[in-house]
Amino acid sequence: MAYFLQITFAGIALGCIYALIGLGFSIIFKASEVINFAQGELLLVGAYVTSSAVFEWHFNFILAVLVGVVVTVLIGLIFERFVLRRMLGRPIFAVLMITIGLDTILRTALIVRWGSNPIPAAAPYTITSGFNLSGIHIGFNDLLTVLVTVILCAMLFYFFRYTRYGLAMRATALDQEAALAVGINVRVVYALAWGIAAGIATIGGVFLAIGSYAMDPTLGGAALLAFPAIILGGVDSVTGAVVGGIIIGLVQDLTAGYESYVTSFLGAGIHQITPYLVMILVLLIRPYGLFGTRKVERI
Amino acid sequence: MKTSIKDRPTTETSPRMRFMEGKLSRWIVTALIIALVIVFFSVADDDWFSIVNYTLIAAIAAIALNVLSGYTGQVSLGIAFFMAIGAYTAAYLGGKVPTSSEDALGLGLPFILWLPASGLVAALVGGLIGPVALRLKGFYLGIVSLALIFIGQYIFMNARGITGGPQGRVFPVPAIGDAGFDQQNSFLGLALTSGQQFFLLILIVLLVVAFFVYNVMRSRVGRAFRAVRDNETGATIMGVNLLEAKLGAFVLSSFLAGIAGALFASYSRYITPNYWGLTLSIQFIAAIIIGGIASVWGSILGAAFVFGLPLVIDHFSLLPVSSGSGVISSGDLNALLYGLLIVVFLLFEPGGVIGLAYRVGALLRNFNQHQHEGGEPAEVSDL
Amino acid sequence: MSDQMPETTSSSIVAPPLLSVEGISVQFAGVKALTDVTFQAQVGELFAVIGPNGAGKTSLFNVLSRVYEPAAGRVTYDGQDLLRYKTHQVARMGIARTFQNLGQFPTMTVLDYLLLGRHTRMKSGILLGGIYFGLTRTEERKNRAYCQHLLELLGLQHLQNHPLGSLPYGLQKRADIARALALEPKLLLLDEPVAGMGFDETEDIAAAILDIKEQLGITQILVEHDMALVMGIADRILVLDFGRVIALGTAAEIQVNQDVIKAYLGEEFGGGPATQPTSAKDQPV
């Protein structure tokens, strides 16, 4: 039982990372209808830059994270301003492809700058540090991940509900033309969306890196699991991003934790595909995810 | 829309709009290409055959992807999966009969059976996946195709009997009678190297595939495919049966991908399952974007760029083997390049290289010709 | 107001209507798009559907195209229960429809677009198409010739290799009508065929519509805002308002119908939303 609770907690923490990725993705998608395939890669960039800031330029951890956020936000803003702006009105397929292009560029740039070998992740505490709560080991990293995610969600909630720009973003998400008509500066909204998404991605990336013992480009593959989370929750739903993330994180860690029981007849590595299987199951019943909405084609 | 549609070129090949103008120039170009092929065939060494053979196989798979995504607009990252299905079908049917429990499974069937079978089995699987595309649209379908890749990896890693597990396995070679293509053989009095034999086989398959797909796209089904891509509801109102169309696209595309996978595995002789991953799929997506969406020629050119170019760079040892600290390997340089080109082409020339060629061609024609009423058709790209 | 069959003077034989819509209601997300709509269209008739914006005209077409599922009612077409069929089967039965929003197929050439219209009249599948030589080539040639003929009729043959997206708006609409005709329909649904057109273009389309009626004998249902066009050429007119039928009759009858006048003029004076767009030629010079 303790084992189960331990894994559950770890799963929720992992799910929070997926939720952060998904949140950024949803915010961008809702604001501009862009499907950002590179969302997970932005995570990595943030984590790598943070690590360099700590180990190569000797910043302290908080400052390093800030540097990571700034760099990622810059990348996001530049991409949005100079590439995506020109893709307005183009079919979603094309925009998706262009973010795949961005993903490839980022991944390769990472390898060129930092190599393919693992490098240490920046962490203000050791990876195994934590404490015991009635037999369950609670890792600091996991705890912090959950806490920070909750705080970020609360901040975002407040931002969208009660601030001017939050309202502007929600309006743009509902109807871009109407938003333009009432004088909302949609360009600022786009920039904000990408900025927020990139910033959240960095934070998620830092936690993911700490929790992964070593950081190498294949970590991007881990972040890829955020996509079934996003799909499961519904591409255009912020709630869905969080719920989907938690579900996928739980599924992944629970199956990994109990995998040894089934390896004999199911083979190794099943925990890598259970998230996708769960996603497919959900899609069978709800083709637009749990909270997603149907898109209407006009004729 | 920001840019005028009139300014963007098309890759659509309606019979009148050819790459080159006039029957004479077409014959000249065809003759030139045939001459080039003959010259290549006679003088190239094994290394160059290797480069060209891999490129031509990639071209077949690129055409397969274009059928599904370029012409029919179905977002799919799953081409590597279908190639793998084809490869492992070939391995199972054509592989040597195992002599011990350590060997991978094989039935030892002849090449004339396993090559088409690799396409058919892949097509069957594609046919099962096809109806999914009816329920799921756009990005949702894309991520399900991504799921296919990972589920496939899981299956391939664990199905040791057929795939050899993580260590991989040997794949069968094409053979005519006893003459396997992995050795030098004599056919009709001509001594042919392994590279040459594979070249002929692959070239023939590519020509048949290209011809077939080109024909499909200029006939009823091809138009239906494009209608589905552009507007599904509009297409159904015009009478297109969505299930038939999407199923047809998936089946045809998977068939071709299976064949390409089998050829690739056969030519490489030895493959580990992690080869059939997301990176391979993305490379093919890059290939069709750079070469030209919805264009057979575009598929071939794109494959040449994404798959052939790094092989050429490697041949001349221009770049180090792996990247890091500012140095870049050929594989990674190529990835960086095609990543950049995806962005550049989608931004400025969505028709790919072929679209660019059309535009240049139109420009040249305008220099020569006097503009007259309703004369030159303006061109519009697919993206 | 129920529909009365036009009585012939001599014989007692009355032809059944090609299309019979009875009590159709459509509802989605709490909006009642259509309520209890009933009318019939006779073979060869030029039938128009008008009404202020949002009156449900396109919803009606969407029911006929089987894109919408009605909550209630029946539709009989050519003696068959249309509601039993799916959207793609409707075309095969001979119902063709033009699109209100153009630019759906910008990269297709005009000729290819018309050939797409012939989709249900052609047979080649993937296998035959891939081989091409033989059955498919013959089929392509025959159908191409037919489409060329249609293009000539509508004055578009010099544009046949131009992508639709590169054509000016009016010509795109014309190409769309040609594409609908390519199906060899018994029933042609025209969705705002002269929207956004100037005087000359409207006249051209009006002439084409009349030609279709007189020379091809195709039954047409026309949804339009342009009053002059509708009053000028339609045999009978159905007036919708907020999804309900408020009048059905000839142009003369409609023009003096009190409910119709209230529906249109009432909006103008009642401080409600603006009236429907008038065509260009009605603007003060």
Side-chain angles (χ1 to χ4, degrees):
Chain A
M1 186 58 181
Y3 184 64
F4 173 75
L5 286 174
Q6 192 170 308
I7 297 192
T8 304
F9 184 66
I12 293 180
L14 180 62
C16 282
I17 296 182
Y18 292 145
L20 287 177
I21 303 178
L23 260 175
F25 182 95
S26 274
I27 291 175
I28 292 179
F29 183 75
K30 286 182 77 101
S32 56
E33 287 243 310
V34 168
I35 292 181
N36 183 18
F37 195 78
Q39 191 68 20
E41 214 66 50
L42 280 175
L43 212 88
L44 269 207
V45 171
Y48 265 89
V49 170
T50 307
S51 167
S52 268
V54 166
F55 294 115
E56 287 178 42
W57 311 322
H58 306 293
F59 289 13
N60 77 56
F61 181 71
I62 301 288
L63 208 55
V65 172
L66 230 64
V67 171
V69 169
V70 166
V71 170
T72 329
V73 168
L74 268 171
I75 294 178
L77 287 177
I78 293 177
F79 186 67
E80 193 279 315
R81 174 67 184 81
F82 291 105
V83 175
L84 285 178
R85 206 70 75 76
R86 290 174 205 263
M87 296 292 283
L88 278 177
R90 300 274 285 277
I92 292 190
F93 181 68
V95 182
L96 169 64
M97 289 303 143
I98 222 175
T99 59
I100 290 184
L102 174 68
D103 180 76
T104 308
I105 295 174
L106 284 177
R107 197 170 3 105
T108 325
L110 265 173
I111 295 180
V112 173
R113 169 65 177 80
W114 281 283
S116 319
N117 295 318
I119 72 175
Y125 43 78
T126 66
I127 289 156
T128 49
S129 63
F131 55 90
N132 274 312
L133 189 64
S134 57
I136 312 168
H137 176 82
I138 305 222
F140 267 157
N141 193 45
D142 285 347
L143 192 61
L144 258 172
T145 309
V146 177
L147 272 169
V148 171
T149 305
V150 170
I151 293 175
L152 279 174
C153 282
M155 283 170 64
L156 279 172
F157 179 76
Y158 181 84
F159 173 74
F160 284 122
R161 194 65 105 77
Y162 298 110
T163 68
R164 244 181 81 221
Y165 273 106
L167 183 60
M169 287 184 76
R170 276 193 294 142
T172 313
L174 275 174
D175 189 329
Q176 221 173 77
E177 276 185 40
L180 276 167
V182 299
I184 289 178
N185 188 342
V186 169
R187 281 188 294 213
V188 172
V189 168
Y190 287 174
L192 258 176
W194 276 82
I196 294 177
I200 296 178
T202 306
I203 296 176
V206 168
F207 282 123
L208 182 65
I210 297 176
S212 303
Y213 298 95
M215 212 161 55
D216 66 7
T218 63
L219 211 57
L224 206 58
L225 276 163
F227 284 120
I230 292 167
I231 291 289
L232 189 151
V235 153
D236 60 344
S237 162
V238 170
T239 322
V242 178
V243 172
I246 307 274
I247 293 179
I248 292 295
L250 275 171
V251 167
Q252 195 179 341
D253 271 355
L254 280 172
T255 33
Y258 290 102
E259 198 175 47
S260 44
Y261 295 110
V262 294
T263 326
S264 50
F265 56 91
L266 275 181
I270 187 117
H271 70 274
Q272 280 164 343
I273 62 165
T274 36
Y276 289 105
L277 293 174
V278 169
M279 172 193 80
I280 290 176
L281 244 108
V282 170
L283 285 178
L284 282 176
I285 316 167
R286 298 187 62 97
Y288 290 90
L290 289 172
F291 298 92
T293 49
R294 197 169 177 271
K295 184 172 144 87
V296 180
E297 232 178 354
R298 307 223 128 261
I299 38 163
Chain B
M1 285 197 238
K2 286 186 77 170
T3 45
S4 162
I5 290 186
K6 293 190 204 127
D7 299 328
R8 289 190 267 162
T10 184
T11 57
E12 298 282 339
T13 49
S14 98
R16 294 284 200 85
M17 291 198 335
R18 289 247 187 262
F19 191 9
M20 303 142 284
E21 273 226 298
K23 273 217 150 95
L24 180 63
S25 60
R26 249 189 291 148
W27 278 116
I28 294 179
V29 175
T30 315
L32 266 172
I33 294 183
I34 295 182
L36 255 168
V37 169
I38 295 179
V39 167
F40 171 80
F41 188 77
S42 325
V43 305
D45 64 14
D46 276 342
D47 281 344
W48 280 103
F49 269 115
S50 174
I51 294 174
V52 170
N53 287 343
Y54 277 120
T55 303
L56 294 181
I57 297 174
I60 298 174
I63 292 177
L65 182 62
N66 236 334
V67 165
L68 185 61
S69 299
Y71 286 101
T72 319
Q74 302 304 294
V75 180
S76 175
L77 293 164
I79 189 158
F81 174 73
F82 291 106
M83 290 177 74
I85 300 273
Y88 290 123
T89 304
Y92 179 65
L93 293 178
K96 278 211 294 271
V97 179
T99 47
S100 75
S101 62
E102 294 290 303
D103 290 345
L105 292 173
L107 294 178
L109 296 174
F111 152 72
I112 201 78
L113 276 179
W114 58 253
L115 189 59
S118 61
L120 286 171
V121 172
L124 195 66
V125 176
L128 292 171
I129 311 279
V132 169
L134 277 183
R135 283 268 276 179
L136 302 175
K137 306 285 161 63
F139 188 55
Y140 292 91
L141 182 62
I143 297 301
V144 169
S145 66
L146 182 69
L148 267 182
I149 298 269
F150 290 110
I151 294 174
Q153 293 270 279
Y154 164 76
I155 295 176
F156 301 142
M157 284 290 183
N158 284 298
R160 281 165 203 277
I162 297 184
T163 68
Q167 288 102 321
R169 68 165 293 162
V170 176
F171 285 82
V173 278
I176 299 189
D178 273 333
F181 281 26
D182 52 339
Q183 316 141 342
Q184 192 146 352
N185 294 308
S186 244
F187 291 114
L188 306 169
L190 266 175
L192 297 174
T193 65
S194 170
Q196 286 174 320
Q197 293 167 62
F198 269 105
F199 175 75
L200 283 175
L201 169 66
I202 297 168
L203 186 64
I204 292 174
V205 173
L206 176 61
L207 285 174
V208 170
V209 166
F211 182 65
F212 189 89
V213 170
Y214 179 75
N215 286 336
V216 170
M217 295 312 169
R218 63 176 171 144
S219 71
R220 174 179 177 263
V221 172
R223 285 186 291 267
F225 283 168
R226 279 179 276 148
V228 167
R229 175 193 65 200
D230 289 343
N231 188 310
E232 280 188 20
T233 314
T236 47
I237 289 179
M238 292 193 271
V240 173
N241 184 335
L242 272 187
L243 175 62
E244 267 178 29
K246 290 188 179 183
L247 201 58
F250 266 94
V251 167
L252 179 59
S253 171
S254 314
F255 179 82
L256 297 176
I259 301 252
L263 282 173
F264 183 85
S266 171
Y267 190 53
S268 306
R269 299 300 339 266
Y270 195 96
I271 300 198
T272 58
N274 57 19
Y275 178 73
W276 315 107
L278 181 60
T279 309
L280 186 63
S281 284
I282 291 186
Q283 284 177 323
F284 279 111
I285 290 186
I288 65 172
I289 291 179
I290 295 172
I293 294 267
S295 158
V296 171
W297 264 115
S299 315
I300 299 175
L301 286 173
F305 182 85
V306 176
F307 291 90
L309 192 57
L311 292 175
V312 171
I313 296 179
D314 275 344
H315 178 81
F316 291 113
S317 301
L318 292 173
L319 290 170
V321 174
S322 56
S323 308
S325 311
V327 205
I328 192 168
S329 72
S330 74
D332 290 325
L333 173 69
N334 191 250
L336 190 63
L337 250 176
Y338 70 67
L340 270 165
L341 281 175
I342 288 179
V343 173
V344 167
F345 270 108
L346 281 174
L347 271 182
F348 303 114
E349 186 50 88
V353 168
I354 287 288
L356 203 58
Y358 269 117
R359 231 211 265 253
V360 170
L363 264 171
L364 290 176
R365 277 200 297 274
N366 284 344
F367 273 146
N368 296 336
Q369 266 186 18
H370 190 53
Q371 278 277 38
H372 57 276
E373 257 282 311
E376 280 311 309
E379 295 166 329
V380 178
S381 101
D382 287 82
L383 287 178
Chain C
M1 203 165 135
S2 68
D3 186 16
Q4 302 293 330
M5 296 277 217
E7 291 183 353
T8 54
T9 47
S10 48
S11 75
S12 54
I13 301 171
V14 164
L18 179 64
L19 179 73
S20 174
V21 173
E22 294 165 63
I24 286 291
S25 296
V26 172
Q27 188 173 346
F28 36 65
V31 176
K32 290 203 167 127
L34 292 173
T35 311
D36 200 26
V37 172
T38 301
F39 69 92
Q40 281 143 9
Q42 305 298 328
V43 173
E45 185 173 19
L46 179 49
F47 191 90
V49 177
I50 66 175
N53 267 332
K57 307 188 291 293
T58 303
S59 299
L60 181 61
F61 269 12
N62 282 338
V63 170
L64 294 178
S65 292
R66 302 295 294 116
V67 174
Y68 285 173
E69 191 64 48
R74 270 198 330 200
V75 179
T76 313
Y77 165 77
D78 206 17
Q80 313 220 41
D81 177 6
L82 193 63
L83 297 179
R84 281 181 54 222
Y85 293 91
K86 294 202 248 179
T87 309
H88 67 267
Q89 296 168 311
V90 162
R92 202 171 289 273
M93 294 168 73
I95 300 182
R97 175 179 173 180
T98 63
F99 299 123
Q100 187 179 30
N101 300 315
L102 295 178
Q104 313 295 341
F105 305 97
T107 60
M108 277 210 174
T109 63
V110 173
L111 182 56
D112 274 345
Y113 191 50
L114 262 70
L115 282 167
L116 181 59
R118 299 230 15 102
H119 182 84
T120 49
R121 302 288 172 207
M122 294 170 73
K123 290 215 287 259
S124 291
I126 291 183
L127 228 47
L128 281 175
I131 299 172
Y132 200 80
F133 293 99
L135 285 166
T136 302
R137 188 159 73 149
T138 317
E139 183 181 68
E140 288 288 308
R141 283 195 177 144
K142 253 187 14 191
N143 284 278
R144 247 168 239 280
Y146 183 83
C147 291
Q148 299 276 12
H149 168 65
L150 266 179
L151 287 173
E152 277 167 29
L153 273 182
L154 280 137
L156 294 168
Q157 74 272 42
H158 61 296
L159 294 171
Q160 60 181 270
N161 287 320
H162 289 234
L164 284 173
S166 71
L167 295 179
Y169 181 77
L171 290 176
Q172 282 192 44
K173 281 249 173 210
R174 233 199 281 174
D176 204 28
I177 295 178
R179 184 268 309 154
L181 285 176
L183 184 127
E184 290 178 80
K186 284 198 224 164
L187 175 63
L188 177 59
L189 307 175
L190 294 159
D191 204 340
E192 300 197 25
V194 300
M197 286 190 185
F199 184 73
D200 290 327
E201 284 180 308
T202 305
E203 294 271 295
D204 286 338
I205 298 286
I209 294 177
L210 285 172
D211 281 344
I212 294 172
K213 171 180 169 182
E214 279 144 25
Q215 292 174 18
L216 301 174
I218 298 176
T219 312
Q220 297 173 83
I221 301 183
L222 171 69
V223 156
E224 244 313 323
H225 284 300
D226 187 334
M227 283 305 148
L229 173 74
V230 168
M231 297 299 172
I233 65 174
D235 293 329
R236 282 183 310 138
I237 305 171
L238 177 79
V239 187
L240 294 177
D241 191 26
F242 290 113
R244 289 181 186 278
V245 176
I246 59 174
L248 171 57
T250 64
E253 293 166 3
I254 295 297
Q255 275 162 354
V256 299
N257 182 300
Q258 285 304 313
D259 294 324
V260 174
I261 297 175
K262 224 182 2 182
Y264 278 99
L265 294 184
E267 282 177 306
E268 232 174 355
F269 290 99
T275 51
Q276 76 278 18
T278 52
S279 66
K281 55 184 171 50
D282 290 331
Q283 303 296 345
V285 176

